[in-house]
Amino acid sequence: MPSYAYIGCRTSQRRGARGRGIKVFKIDETGAWSLLQTLSSSQENPSWLTCNAAATRLYVIHGDGNRVSIYKRNNLTGELLWVADQTTGPANRHPGLDPLRRNNPVHAVLTPDEKYLLIANHESGNIACLAVENEDSLSAPLTFTHIAGQPAAPGEAENLSRPHEIIFAPDNQHFALPIQGRAAGMGIDMLQIYRYQRGEIIKTDEVKLATGSWPRHVDFHPTGRWLYCLTELANILNVFDYNAAQGKITLKQTLSSLPDGWRPRSDASEVEVHRDGHFLYAANRGHDSIGIFRINQQDGTLTATEWVHCGGKTPRFATFSPDGLYFYSANEESDTLCEFSVDSLSGMLRETGKTILAESPTCICFV
């Protein structure tokens, strides 16, 4: 039976974007992609897409905005229909922030019980928790978990850090939150762990990382023993032991996501662990590569094996096909998705020759 790919594409002039909204592709049994639909939106930059387990609803957050949209998915045709939207919360009034970015939601995830949608509001420095009232409705944010920055002087605005992703551990009891210590707002570079329990979010641990490194994205090993964090500006992979019983992490290794000797600027973007747990992949914007790292099955540490060109320019997002046989790089500045086959023994990525056109792509969601 066919599968479907939903591509979020930036649209705003402020971001220099060329996208027109969400692109919907049908993938047939031979692996051929065909464009089904392009959905424009009243909200700019549909930049992150999250699907529910039943694949009936798609939740879409809008970068540099303050809304989350709900789309109904037709299980027979794969097409989408907008049904509603909701606020992700008020903008933070810290004087150091850019008001044009509003609260800039950057990532959203459904809780394992699918009763709540958690949204990382990057510019507002918080996690918003919205109740899934029914398939076509989200509540306004019920709570906000504030992500504190450096201590503020008396009389000054409260400082904040920038949460960038929310990833649940295989135990479904805890999630990891990388936060960025950007100068505006006086943030702290840190990785935090939270427990999710019946609608409550409770911090269980935090580890400070190098100042100015900007922790961006994370991924857990499928065994749940290790956690990997990629920093944006420092291009560093941080390896942690993860204690699922306590929700604690311990830093055990740091290494570059770039090859030795690379000097020009490159901003790391995405980190993905393959489903079989033997290899990790890190995307580098500037070097325009995907770094391939072998995972030691005894202690979770990484060894660099190879870097392959991403097949375009500025790999902002990367992911695997649901079966793990293919890897896709969303190359924002070249308006393409590049497909690679995955060698399960060596971890090597090889271009298949298939390039999918998608203007200013920032996210791929497979169903």
Side-chain angles (χ1 to χ4, degrees):
M1 62 184 296
S3 58
Y4 299 88
Y6 300 87
I7 315 300
C9 301
R10 275 181 170 167
T11 62
S12 71
Q13 183 178 5
R14 185 170 184 270
R15 290 285 188 168
R18 298 157 300 283
R20 290 177 290 165
I22 303 170
K23 303 194 83 164
V24 181
F25 291 88
K26 179 180 179 180
I27 308 171
D28 68 19
E29 290 82 353
T30 70
W33 290 49
S34 57
L35 181 64
L36 285 182
Q37 199 178 15
T38 301
L39 293 93
S40 60
S41 171
S42 59
Q43 304 291 329
E44 292 182 328
N45 301 326
S47 52
W48 188 270
L49 288 63
T50 302
C51 193
N52 65 352
T56 57
R57 294 297 182 274
L58 200 70
Y59 300 95
V60 178
I61 56 175
H62 300 274
D64 291 341
N66 58 5
R67 310 293 294 182
V68 53
S69 298
I70 306 172
Y71 286 85
K72 180 179 181 179
R73 180 179 176 275
N74 186 315
N75 277 325
L76 294 178
T77 68
E79 294 179 319
L80 299 177
L81 176 68
W82 180 90
V83 292
D85 67 7
Q86 180 58 273
T87 181
T88 67
N92 194 299
R93 296 185 178 182
H94 192 288
L97 300 179
D98 181 353
L100 294 178
R101 294 182 71 178
R102 290 170 281 187
N103 45 3
N104 187 28
V106 291
H107 192 264
V109 64
L110 287 162
T111 56
D113 56 15
E114 297 201 340
K115 291 183 178 180
Y116 301 94
L117 183 73
L118 305 182
I119 297 175
N121 284 315
H122 187 255
E123 203 75 6
S124 292
N126 62 48
I127 305 168
C129 180
L130 289 68
V132 180
E133 297 179 326
N134 56 62
E135 282 203 321
D136 294 333
S137 178
L138 289 167
S139 74
L142 302 174
T143 59
F144 294 99
T145 300
H146 176 72
I147 312 301
Q150 303 287 349
E156 290 185 349
E158 185 176 16
N159 292 323
L160 55 94
S161 289
R162 314 294 185 82
H164 213 292
E165 192 177 39
I166 302 166
I167 297 294
F168 273 88
D171 61 25
N172 282 335
Q173 302 298 313
H174 298 88
F175 63 82
L177 183 80
I179 60 176
Q180 299 188 327
R182 301 198 180 202
M186 292 289 289
I188 299 176
D189 293 281
M190 187 179 292
L191 181 59
Q192 296 181 333
I193 304 295
Y194 288 82
R195 179 189 303 118
Y196 168 76
Q197 188 173 4
R198 296 188 295 275
E200 283 192 285
I201 298 172
I202 303 165
K203 186 168 65 176
T204 59
D205 202 6
E206 63 183 27
V207 174
K208 289 184 179 180
L209 298 177
T211 299
S213 60
W214 293 13
R216 178 179 173 89
H217 277 192
V218 295
D219 203 8
F220 283 90
H221 192 270
T223 63
R225 296 170 61 191
W226 308 296
L227 173 62
Y228 302 93
C229 175
L230 181 64
T231 64
E232 184 171 345
L233 287 193
N235 304 284
I236 293 295
L237 281 161
N238 298 276
V239 182
F240 296 85
D241 284 325
Y242 171 62
N243 184 319
Q246 299 178 3
K248 302 288 185 181
I249 54 174
T250 304
L251 182 63
K252 67 184 307 177
Q253 184 191 19
T254 61
L255 72 165
S256 178
S257 67
L258 297 168
D260 291 342
W262 179 261
R263 294 292 179 264
R265 176 167 175 171
S266 187
D267 297 344
S269 60
E270 186 62 80
V271 59
E272 293 283 316
V273 177
H274 192 271
R275 59 189 289 179
D276 69 11
H278 289 279
F279 293 94
L280 175 147
Y281 301 80
N284 300 297
R285 297 171 294 177
H287 191 245
D288 288 341
S289 68
I290 309 298
I292 305 169
F293 299 82
R294 185 179 296 275
I295 301 174
N296 184 308
Q297 298 301 294
Q298 301 303 312
D299 62 10
T301 55
L302 301 175
T303 302
T305 63
E306 187 60 86
W307 282 264
V308 299
H309 192 266
C310 68
K313 183 175 174 58
T314 315
R316 185 174 189 85
F317 177 81
T319 192
F320 295 97
S321 58
D323 58 14
L325 297 179
Y326 297 95
F327 182 91
Y328 295 88
S329 177
N331 301 317
E332 184 177 17
E333 295 301 318
S334 54
D335 299 335
T336 58
L337 312 179
C338 185
E339 182 185 80
F340 299 82
S341 62
V342 182
D343 187 306
S344 61
L345 295 179
S346 68
M348 189 63 184
L349 301 178
R350 295 182 174 84
E351 289 194 47
T352 65
K354 185 180 299 179
T355 299
I356 299 98
L357 300 180
E359 300 81 3
S360 305
T362 60
C363 181
I364 309 168
C365 180
F366 286 106
V367 175

